[in-house]
Amino acid sequence: EMPALGALQGARGSDKFEVVAISIDSDEDVDYARQRLTELGAANITFRHAPLDRGDIVYGANVQGFPTTILYGPDGLEIARLSGEADWAAAEAVQFIDAFTDHPLG
């Protein structure tokens, strides 16, 4: 999903929309996770490290499996959730994001 999410961030990233990747990797693997984002064409995605043993950013959001995508509104409330892989470069995915961010289609 990372190449498609990088493309989505490039196409729709703004003050109204941002893709954030959350890594649950151990401290030893964080640099590798960042490197993989770059290798996969997604260096433009905001990266956050949230190891499972130090907080509940992932399970506090009731994430049951990976990957999980959660769309939050400007008020911080969850708008939508998708568990499993998705093609974020597909026209339907971009239109879905546009519906929440007032971007014109195209």
Side-chain angles (χ1 to χ4, degrees), residues 45-63:
I45 294 175
T46 298
F47 178 87
R48 297 284 184 259
H49 181 227
L52 292 178
D53 62 347
R54 279 185 260 143
D56 62 359
I57 189 171
V58 174
Y59 289 114
N62 200 29
V63 171

Side-chain angles (χ1 to χ4, degrees), residues 68-100:
T68 295
T69 302
I70 304 173
L71 181 64
Y72 292 98
D75 56 5
L77 297 177
E78 184 175 324
I79 295 171
R81 174 183 299 239
L82 175 68
S83 295
E85 294 183 26
D87 181 2
W88 293 104
E92 296 85 2
V94 175
Q95 289 170 353
F96 178 75
I97 298 302
D98 287 347
F100 292 102

Side-chain angles (χ1 to χ4, degrees), residues 3 14 18 33 44 51 55 57 61 66 68-69 74 80 91:
S14 69
E18 178 181 23
N44 60 334
I57 189 171
F66 302 101
T68 295
T69 302

